[in-house]
Amino acid sequence: MSSILNTPLEYGFPTENLTAGNGTAAKIVVDCLPAGVAAAIAGEVALPGENAVRQRIRQGGGRVIGGSVSSSDSVAKSLLIYIGERLTTQDLSNTGTMALTASTVTRQTGSFIADGWTVGNAFMLFGPPAARNVGSATQANTGLLTVITAVTATTLTVNGAPFTSDAALPAGARLFRVSQRTRRAIAPSAGNADATPAVPLMGGTQDPATASLPDTGWELGQNSALIVALVAALSALPARLDIMAEVALR
């Protein structure tokens, strides 16, 4: 493997879908990309003179270099695209039980201040990587965009009363600080009609900072995620929105 950290180890093509049942709640498309050891490729053999297959070391993070958005809805839609940074993870030793009231997130131990939360931050709740889009026993709390109005060590207070109370978030539930990257206009039946192509995930007048070049894109750190949400809910099933990202993994 190249010693240049910017060289991809491999490529991933994560996907996600939105339907009327999601409403305007967000979903993670590209989750956090931690460092670690990648599994051996099926059929891979050791190099001549070596006793075992070399480990493939993940440096962590990656870069979104492309992707597309398709819709089977006959009504035009708008897609919001966010970059999220994981600041807090539900863990019995570091946070104790995390819970929701109508307008707060609370923890038993540790500090939201030390985690980096400040007044004015926008955040979303998601589940652990194995169930990233299931962050609460009340699914309406997952992927809900909220804005912090007050911070103490053990309590985040948000604008209004957006949450449904949840006495204990699941193990590994995560709070992401989010910032909107761009917004995409999705034409009726984009990618599902011969004369209407799928919409590029990146670039264009709404995302001028992303040049259409091989070495540019949306940079994601080890604790970053690519998150999407609709401005208005899709039409009834079978209408759906399909999102696919092309990610260079390190």
Side-chain angles (χ1 to χ4, degrees), residues 154-243:
T154 58
T155 303
L156 298 177
T157 303
V158 303
N159 184 55
F163 296 128
T164 300
S165 295
D166 188 341
L169 297 180
R174 299 171 293 170
L175 301 181
F176 284 82
R177 181 168 59 195
V178 300
S179 179
Q180 185 177 323
R181 171 73 201 208
T182 189
R183 175 169 169 159
R184 282 276 177 268
I186 312 299
S189 302
N192 280 277
D194 291 343
T196 310
V199 176
L201 181 66
M202 309 172 66
T205 57
Q206 286 286 79
D207 186 31
T210 302
S212 181
L213 298 171
D215 59 348
T216 59
W218 297 340
E219 192 69 25
L220 298 178
Q222 294 185 30
N223 295 316
S224 302
L226 179 66
I227 301 166
V228 299
L230 284 164
V231 174
L234 286 168
S235 303
L237 288 170
R240 73 177 195 280
L241 204 73
D242 297 335
I243 304 101

Side-chain angles (χ1 to χ4, degrees), residues 22-150:
N22 297 118
T24 57
K27 282 188 171 183
I28 292 177
V29 179
V30 182
D31 208 340
C32 300
L33 303 167
V37 179
I41 299 171
E44 189 175 10
V45 297
L47 295 172
E50 297 187 352
N51 295 323
V53 173
R54 289 190 178 186
Q55 290 183 318
R56 297 186 300 140
I57 307 299
R58 293 192 187 280
Q59 304 293 340
R63 178 177 288 161
V64 181
I65 59 174
S68 63
V69 184
S70 298
S71 174
S72 63
D73 199 325
S74 61
V75 179
K77 294 297 174 184
S78 294
L79 184 72
L80 299 172
I81 300 174
Y82 300 90
I83 302 297
E85 180 184 9
R86 177 182 57 81
L87 294 186
T88 301
T89 300
Q90 148 74 24
D91 179 277
L92 290 181
S93 60
N94 294 317
T95 66
T97 299
M98 288 207 301
L100 301 178
T101 68
S103 59
T104 66
V105 183
T106 61
R107 63 195 288 170
Q108 294 174 314
T109 61
S111 171
F112 285 123
I113 296 172
D115 287 349
W117 295 102
T118 59
V119 171
N121 285 163
F123 81 91
M124 295 178 183
L125 164 67
F126 291 101
R132 64 182 188 267
N133 291 317
V134 184
S136 170
T138 303
Q139 187 60 21
N141 292 324
T142 303
L144 179 65
L145 179 65
T146 56
V147 178
I148 295 172
T149 58

